Structure formats: structure tokens, C-alpha cells
Amino acid sequence: MVSSKVAPTEIKEVITAFQDKGDSNGVKAVQSNGLHVAGERFVVIKADERSLYGRKGKEGIVIVKTNQAILVTHYGETVQPGVAANTVEQLADYLIGVGY
């Protein structure tokens, strides 16, 4: 990932993905179009009301929504996707548990 900055248009894209209820088959537009974060396009492999997971080669992103925040995380090619997702989901659970 070249930059660690998420542009305002990319944040809007994330929010739109969370708000999208999906088509008649439950497929969200972001799953067809991909998601842009820090200037990079990721193929979305999971999209629900709480979480978005994306991959680009061997690296990826995990985005999780809490009551007051959206956690946007990136993992490199040496990190297992499941470990990254579990870590971010647990952090989100903690934040939700403390009212954040």
C-alpha cells in the first residue's frame, strides 16, 4: 500500500457500501465494483452491515463499523487474512462493549 491516507471520497465509498442493502440476491454494488482505499482498488470478498473485507494480491483490508467509528485497517502479505480479520473484529467488539 503506497499511502496510508484514506481520501474523503474513499470514506464516502465505504459509508455507501455499509448503507447498501444489496440487490434481490443480496449482492452489494461494492462486491461487483471493488473498493478504493488509500488510492488502491481492492476486490471485496465480504460485505455486510458491520464489516467489509477486501483483497489485492496477497495484501488486504478489513473495515469494521462500531457505534461511533469506522476502523479501516490494512494487512500486508506476511499476515494471514483470518488473523487480521479476527483481530480487527475483536477490537470492534471491545469498542462497542465500552460504548464507542
Side-chain angles (χ1 to χ4, degrees):
M1 185 175 259
V2 176
S3 169
S4 61
K5 294 184 180 185
V6 181
T9 55
E10 294 170 338
I11 291 294
K12 184 176 179 183
E13 198 175 330
V14 168
I15 292 168
T16 299
F18 280 126
Q19 294 172 338
D20 183 2
K21 301 298 181 199
D23 62 15
S24 61
N25 295 318
V27 178
K28 294 183 171 203
V30 72
Q31 291 171 287
S32 301
N33 303 329
L35 185 65
H36 296 86
V37 174
E40 307 251 354
R41 182 182 179 278
F42 292 84
V43 174
V44 175
I45 56 176
K46 177 183 177 183
D48 62 29
E49 64 279 346
R50 173 183 153 128
S51 306
L52 300 168
Y53 296 179
R55 300 262 336 235
K56 179 179 182 244
K58 293 183 179 182
E59 63 184 58
I61 54 171
V62 178
I63 302 172
V64 183
K65 182 173 63 168
T66 71
N67 297 328
Q68 298 182 42
I70 297 175
L71 306 175
V72 179
T73 63
H74 170 264
Y75 61 89
E77 59 185 55
T78 61
V79 177
Q80 293 294 321
V83 173
N86 189 44
T87 301
V88 180
E89 294 283 358
Q90 286 181 355
L91 176 57
D93 288 341
Y94 170 77
L95 291 172
I96 290 168
V98 296
Y100 195 76

